[in-house]
Amino acid sequence: MLLRMSTLFLRTLREDPADAEVPSHKLMVRGGYVRRAAPGIYSWLPLGKIVLDNVADIVREEMNAIDAQELLLPALLPREYYETTGRWDDYGDTLFRLQDRKGADYLLGPTHEEIFAHLVKGEYTSYKDFPVWLYQIKEKFRDEARPRAGVLRGREFHMKDAYSFDIDDEGLSSSYERFRAAYVRIFERLGLEYVIVSATAGAMGGSKSEEFLAVAPSGEDTFVRSTETDYAANVEAVEVPAPQALPLDGLPEATEHHTPDTATIQTLVDFLNAADLGRDFSEADTLKNVLVKTREPGSEEWQLLAVGVPGDREVDMKRLEAALEPAEVAVLDEKDFQESPFLVKGYIGPRSLLDNKVRYLVDPRIVTGTRWVTGADRPEHHVIDLTVGRDFTPDGTIDVAEVRDGDPSPDGRGTLYTARGIEIGHVFQLGRKYTDAVELDALGPDGKPKRVTMGSYGIGVSRVVASIVEQSHDDKGIVWPRAVAPADVHVVGTGKGDQIEEALRISGELEQRGLRVLVDDRKGVSPGVKFTDAELLGVPTTVIVGRGLKDGVVELRDRADGGREEVALEEIVERTVRACGA
Ligand code: ATP
Ligand code: MG
């Protein structure tokens, strides 16, 4: 490959685009890799297309290496497929829906589980046909509420989506491990710093699912890591270790106290500490009961749910929603409180919750034998030493309190701290949700039909390109890892003599040696502009054919470490080939 900048369809920009906030968006636009066509919709220009293909090729090689087979399915899909699984509606506003000339409903595929399941059903019938692993790399369409950061969150974007089909659960687990291992190889080869986090809370959520997050401050996903181990998890999936239950005997009786003007935790703690009760109280000694309402899918009826957490923590709504999924959650309004007069705002205690049959779930730290200061179910009154397992027994536990920096790591070593990441891949044991919907069966050895089980595995190929830039850039531009760079070497010819001819000659030789070469052979462009462009574009190795040429020397530069070296003209081809690791 030899690309000449004199004719390349490329115009770099000196200014950041006005709508860009994150580095990858700024640099990919300034470097002429992409251009915005509409909100969340981007054109890939020649250099961008090369990088995108390089990423796709690595993904493809590793998919082929695990015997996944590449297909290409349509993006334009009739409504019926998504109707059978309910996703025509469930996808909500994110789905692009359209009609053909006859008025029939279509959609632009946001992900392809239905149609892959349908396809396999049409071709395969026997248990002997399975397992089968299929994938494609193509554009996906989602009308994202907030398209942002260039190609990081597009409305049209490139995804590798793969699907496994197995005859039983063991098969599904082994397919899952197979893809997961391939993902590890892919992201290693791409040179990304990433973590694998479990995406669903093991206890409540259905099947196994993990996300691959590229570590980047601009990421939208928050996760926690341990200071000492490689433990990492989505905040939604952190499982707080439950302390040992404590013995009940010998504990003081619960006592009720008049506590005027103590509707907030802080005023309560201040009051108790001023009241001379023989010990000090902190917010962590109080039990706060947060009321919400939940509704099961398909039901009209809202049900009350009380969540008990230590008073020094808030309920994390995202964790709560994840824990209760697929049920909906909402906060109570005035009317709800009026309908349940036993709920005394600011003074809600476990007793009236349980007496009135409100489902009551508590934080895992609230174990048998722990005693709490909590509401006494009448205004301006609290109970002290209300003891779990003696004075009240909750309906169960729910792990939805906020996770904080410094909390102990669930694996027992180190403490947690929060970091941000970009979801670049997702592996998911779907189970039989989609195969049930399309009734995908295979005849077992006994001649009886068996429901096939499915996994789905996505990588955001275009998002990966931007994630690489997020992790690999400096104030001058992009620093491409060699594996995905648009070229191996950028040869810059600059000066008033025959530097450009010489640059072209060297480029030709480098190309012959198998390198992918970008050459700056533009006439009438200043050296400063050419150097600035080279740094912005971010090709790993640069050869400068400039003023030194009359003395028989050229310069070899390394984009990543900034290293510069004068090299004799006769040696430049060999040295460059070596620098490029070819
Ligand atoms: P997110 O939570 O970021 O919206 P998702 O969980 O909805 O992503 P999946 O359905 O798991 O995404 O899709 C598989 C992969 O496709 C994701 O891991 C991500 O890398 C990529 N992806 C998803 N949505 C977009 C988008 N709008 N733009 C670019 N890539 C995307
Ligand atoms: Mg996902």
Side-chain angles (χ1 to χ4, degrees):
M1 182 196 91
L2 178 61
L3 291 175
R4 298 174 61 153
M5 283 183 68
S6 59
T7 51
L8 187 64
F9 187 66
L10 170 73
R11 289 290 177 266
T12 57
L13 309 174
R14 289 290 161 259
E15 299 292 326
D16 290 331
D19 61 333
E21 277 163 17
V22 305
S24 61
H25 187 189
K26 293 177 186 169
L27 294 173
M28 288 175 70
V29 171
R30 279 182 46 206
Y33 286 94
V34 295
R35 285 287 177 263
R36 180 179 179 276
I41 305 178
Y42 283 80
S43 306
W44 292 78
L45 307 194
L47 295 183
K49 175 68 164 55
I50 293 172
V51 177
L52 186 66
D53 286 348
N54 290 345
V55 172
D57 285 346
I58 289 175
V59 172
R60 182 175 282 118
E61 279 171 30
E62 296 298 337
M63 287 293 104
N64 294 345
I66 58 164
D67 295 328
Q69 304 174 54
E70 186 168 6
L71 285 66
L72 189 58
L73 271 56
L76 183 60
L77 300 167
R79 169 180 180 158
E80 288 72 55
Y81 290 118
Y82 287 70
E83 199 72 74
T84 47
T85 55
R87 286 213 286 188
W88 174 263
D89 293 318
D90 290 352
Y91 239 105
D93 290 339
T94 305
L95 197 63
F96 276 105
R97 301 175 178 83
L98 61 164
Q99 290 191 332
D100 71 5
R101 62 172 75 206
K102 293 180 185 138
D105 285 323
Y106 283 78
L107 63 100
L108 295 176
T111 168
H112 279 74
E113 282 78 6
E114 288 73 357
I115 175 158
F116 268 88
H118 196 268
L119 187 69
V120 171
K121 179 180 161 86
E123 307 298 317
Y124 277 6
T125 48
S126 158
Y127 74 96
K128 293 184 198 141
D129 297 328
F130 294 90
V132 64
W133 305 296
L134 305 173
Y135 77 99
Q136 63 175 345
I137 300 177
K138 76 176 280 114
E139 289 84 346
K140 293 280 185 284
F141 300 86
R142 293 182 188 178
D143 195 358
E144 297 278 358
R146 277 172 298 279
R148 82 179 259 282
V151 300
L152 268 183
R153 179 174 296 284
R155 296 199 296 162
E156 172 175 335
F157 59 97
H158 295 249
M159 199 205 286
K160 185 284 297 174
D161 49 324
Y163 307 88
S164 65
F165 297 87
D166 279 277
I167 216 74
D168 52 29
D169 294 348
E170 298 77 66
L172 173 57
S173 319
S174 100
S175 291
Y176 180 88
E177 293 306 328
R178 198 178 176 88
F179 277 92
R180 190 183 189 278
Y183 275 35
V184 168
R185 286 190 291 274
I186 289 167
F187 295 127
E188 297 291 337
R189 281 181 68 182
L190 291 169
L192 281 163
E193 188 201 339
Y194 67 95
V195 294
I196 304 175
V197 298
S198 62
T200 47
M204 318 284 287
S207 353
K208 190 167 179 185
S209 163
E210 288 165 294
E211 289 169 355
F212 289 71
L213 304 182
V215 180
S218 58
E220 288 181 72
D221 290 54
T222 305
F223 66 101
V224 291
R225 322 177 75 166
S226 164
T227 49
E228 275 176 34
T229 62
D230 57 7
Y231 175 87
N234 246 333
V235 173
E236 282 88 328
V238 172
E239 287 176 47
V240 171
Q244 284 274 318
L246 302 171
L248 287 171
D249 23 277
L251 295 179
E253 284 299 304
T255 48
E256 192 172 317
H257 297 255
H258 179 51
T259 55
D261 291 327
T262 54
T264 67
I265 303 279
Q266 191 54 54
T267 51
L268 172 63
V269 169
D270 291 346
F271 179 90
L272 295 174
N273 284 330
D276 198 17
L277 290 162
R279 60 178 158 124
D280 285 340
F281 292 87
S282 78
E283 296 192 349
D285 298 318
T286 68
L287 166 60
K288 174 163 70 183
N289 297 305
V290 176
L291 265 292
V292 295
K293 51 185 177 178
T294 68
R295 182 163 70 176
E296 295 302 324
S299 161
E300 293 286 293
E301 216 181 310
W302 289 97
Q303 305 245 309
L304 289 179
L305 168 68
V307 178
V309 292
D312 62 335
R313 286 178 197 262
E314 299 300 328
V315 169
D316 180 331
M317 283 312 277
K318 275 177 87 177
R319 273 165 63 76
L320 182 62
E321 281 164 16
L324 296 173
E325 229 187 343
E328 254 180 289
V329 195
V331 292
L332 299 197
D333 51 30
E334 267 320 307
K335 199 168 139 271
D336 296 314
F337 278 101
Q338 277 159 19
E339 282 170 8
S340 302
F342 59 89
L343 296 176
V344 185
K345 256 193 186 170
Y347 301 91
I348 300 171
R351 282 178 182 160
S352 81
L353 294 172
L354 294 166
D355 288 349
N356 290 283
K357 306 266 180 291
V358 175
R359 192 164 157 233
Y360 183 40
L361 303 176
V362 297
D363 184 88
R365 281 164 280 233
I366 301 172
V367 289
T368 296
T370 53
R371 48 203 175 107
W372 302 90
V373 179
T374 190
D377 301 304
R378 52 187 179 124
E380 316 210 307
H381 283 76
H382 281 92
V383 202
I384 299 180
D385 293 325
L386 198 75
T387 301
V388 185
R390 181 189 70 185
D391 303 322
F392 72 102
T393 303
D395 296 318
T397 58
I398 189 164
D399 198 349
V400 296
E402 61 175 324
V403 176
R404 284 201 301 239
D405 284 14
D407 281 349
S409 176
D411 66 356
R413 290 171 55 201
T415 57
L416 297 179
Y417 67 99
T418 43
R420 298 186 78 86
I422 303 166
E423 184 188 322
I424 46 176
H426 194 170
V427 289
F428 205 139
Q429 295 191 13
L430 294 173
R432 298 184 177 78
K433 172 172 175 194
Y434 295 90
T435 53
D436 279 344
V438 307
E439 301 182 335
L440 170 53
D441 291 331
L443 282 188
D446 55 1
K448 290 198 188 113
K450 257 193 116 178
R451 192 59 35 104
V452 169
T453 179
M454 213 176 146
S456 115
Y457 317 91
I459 290 183
V461 174
S462 46
R463 182 181 281 185
V464 160
V465 174
S467 304
I468 291 171
V469 178
E470 286 298 318
Q471 289 189 354
S472 194
H473 69 269
D474 58 21
D475 54 349
K476 301 192 182 78
I478 300 173
V479 183
W480 290 113
R482 206 166 276 286
V484 300
D488 294 305
V489 54
H490 187 157
V491 182
V492 178
T494 169
K496 296 218 162 35
D498 53 1
Q499 285 93 341
I500 288 183
E501 285 66 37
E502 195 55 27
L504 282 167
R505 189 192 61 74
I506 294 170
S507 297
E509 282 193 36
L510 292 172
E511 188 199 14
Q512 295 250 304
R513 297 291 299 271
L515 294 189
R516 300 168 307 131
V517 187
L518 174 67
V519 56
D520 196 341
D521 58 342
R522 290 176 294 177
K523 298 215 164 95
V525 174
S526 77
V529 167
K530 290 191 172 187
F531 297 153
T532 307
D533 277 346
E535 283 170 330
L536 175 60
L537 293 176
V539 173
T541 301
T542 315
V543 173
I544 313 274
V545 187
R547 241 177 304 166
L549 185 64
K550 60 179 187 319
D551 307 319
V553 289
V554 293
E555 197 179 296
L556 191 61
R557 290 187 186 175
D558 184 289
R559 179 68 183 89
D561 65 16
R564 296 172 179 208
E565 199 188 338
E566 303 237 293
V567 176
L569 188 57
E570 313 81 71
E571 288 172 23
I572 190 62
V573 171
E574 282 313 319
R575 289 294 311 279
T576 307
V577 168
R578 236 185 300 147
C580 294

